[in-house]
Amino acid sequence: MVDLLNSVMNLVAPPATMVVMAFAWPLLSFISFSERVYNSYFATENMEDKVVVITGASSAIGEQIAYEYAKRGANLVLVARREQRLRVVSNKAKQIGANHVIIIAADVIKEDDCRRFITQAVNYYGRVDHLVNTASLGHTFYFEEVSDTTVFPHLMDINFWGNVYPTYVALPYLQQTNGRIVVNASVENWLPLPRMSLYSAAKAALVNFYETLRFELNGDVGITIATHGWIGSEMTRGKFMLEEGAEMQWKEEREVPANGGPLEEFAKMIVAGACRGDAYVKFPNWYDVFLLYRVFTPNVLRWTFKLLLSTEGSRRSSLVGVGAGMPADESSSQMKLMLEGGPPRFPASPPRYTASPPHYTASPPRYPASPPRYPASPPRFAQFNIQEL
């Protein structure tokens, strides 16, 4: 009986869905547009004196998002590994309009670090209203050519656990303020592209985690998933560049300097969407048309990409796609972890970071901190203080 029902639905459901969508699309589009206009003018959250925690805030999209929240008068908690770079971002954010800014050097792939910076944010401000996760790491290598599998957990750490850990720690405080979580995702979570297998898998896991969490929270905490195509740092720094002779090296998206243009525009869209309460922010929107091809004619999508990428030349691998030539079969020991503005700081195996402790002097919290709904382990960094910049 079940097999018969499935057979009937396989024949009936797809064409019936297309017919319903054809008739309902104009009405649904009008409702969506009206809701967006209403939220833009009458239901936008006022961020004045609200507390926003931004991870990966030292550069790229995280830096630009910090400036957008600063324009709205928010209090900022900027988190990244590079303290000196955070100071630069902090000074600019205060010039733009942020009321108060604190910086905390930490690594989001370490749960203890996440507990530390969330606890310090709550101790200082007394609350958390928005948590913005922007840490991300891309690559452009063929899976079969990888000679050192230690890069696999590293990609998952940054793109998945680097979002989950801050969310887990901040969630009880966000529930107290009916706050919002903002996620930096990517179109690769559902759009298949070669040389991005692990990155795509990590982003797919990330998006599905937050989609599930959205239902579990049942509106207590809002979630905005920001999905971007190939913009700013990725296109100009090789995330999808297929030139030959690319040196095999790492560079994290969160370490790439922000150069304005599409990156700035995307940051404005993210913050505006989060303040409106949007569930999704997409830049650009036209990528959604590929969803129809993927569902109804997946072979067409596959043939299209195969045709577009058939002239890429010899197979060379890179996690960025920039630099001097190096054959893809070089020893894995020659793979470097490269960061912007400095020499290699990490070997390729195993890639782990050490976050420098923040050197701050304590300021009294402005509000009494409320305890989390479930017990959190006590912060192990009580000896570190913070300083308002």
Side-chain angles (χ1 to χ4, degrees), residues 136-148:
S136 187
L137 174 63
H139 68 80
T140 56
F141 57 66
Y142 287 102
F143 182 76
E144 64 184 284
E145 295 177 346
V146 176
S147 57
D148 185 357

Side-chain angles (χ1 to χ4, degrees), residues 47 52-79 85-86 88-103 132 134 258 263-264 266-268 270-271:
M47 296 306 299
V52 182
V53 178
I54 305 173
T55 66
S58 61
S59 57
I61 190 67
E63 176 184 352
Q64 292 300 319
I65 288 175
Y67 297 152
E68 293 303 318
Y69 274 110
K71 294 175 184 177
R72 295 171 181 260
N75 297 315
L76 302 181
V77 180
L78 305 181
V79 180
R85 179 59 190 163
L86 284 176
V88 175
V89 177
S90 171
N91 292 334
K92 185 173 180 180
K94 293 202 70 173
Q95 293 173 3
I96 292 175
N99 288 333
H100 300 86
V101 182
I102 62 174
I103 63 173
V132 184
T134 70
L263 204 62
E264 255 183 51
F266 185 46
K268 291 179 181 178
I270 291 175
V271 176

Side-chain angles (χ1 to χ4, degrees), residues 23-55:
F23 284 99
W25 188 264
L27 177 60
L28 294 175
S29 298
F30 176 75
I31 294 174
S32 178
F33 175 76
S34 300
E35 182 182 20
R36 183 182 180 90
V37 171
Y38 175 82
N39 290 337
S40 297
Y41 289 96
F42 303 105
T44 298
E45 182 179 3
N46 181 10
M47 296 306 299
E48 187 77 26
D49 285 329
K50 295 289 183 70
V51 179
V52 182
V53 178
I54 305 173
T55 66

Side-chain angles (χ1 to χ4, degrees), residues 86 96 109 133 147 157-158 198-199 202 211 224 243 250 268 275 277 281 284 289 298 307 315 342 347 369 371 380-381:
L86 284 176
I96 292 175
I109 69 173
N133 295 311
S147 57
D157 283 346
I158 296 294
L198 296 174
Y199 176 81
E211 293 286 15
T224 297
E243 78 278 8
W250 291 90
K268 291 179 181 178
C275 293
V281 174
V289 301
L307 179 64
R315 293 162 68 95
R380 305 193 313 183
F381 299 88

Side-chain angles (χ1 to χ4, degrees), residues 297-310:
T297 57
N299 286 335
V300 172
L301 187 64
R302 180 171 58 84
W303 294 334
T304 301
F305 279 107
K306 186 175 181 179
L307 179 64
L308 290 173
L309 301 171
S310 61

Side-chain angles (χ1 to χ4, degrees), residues 76 132 150 159 180 203 255-256 266 300-301 308 320 348:
L76 302 181
V132 184
T150 58
N159 292 312
R180 178 162 294 273
K203 288 298 184 180
E255 301 287 355
V256 177
F266 185 46
V300 172
L301 187 64
L308 290 173
V320 177

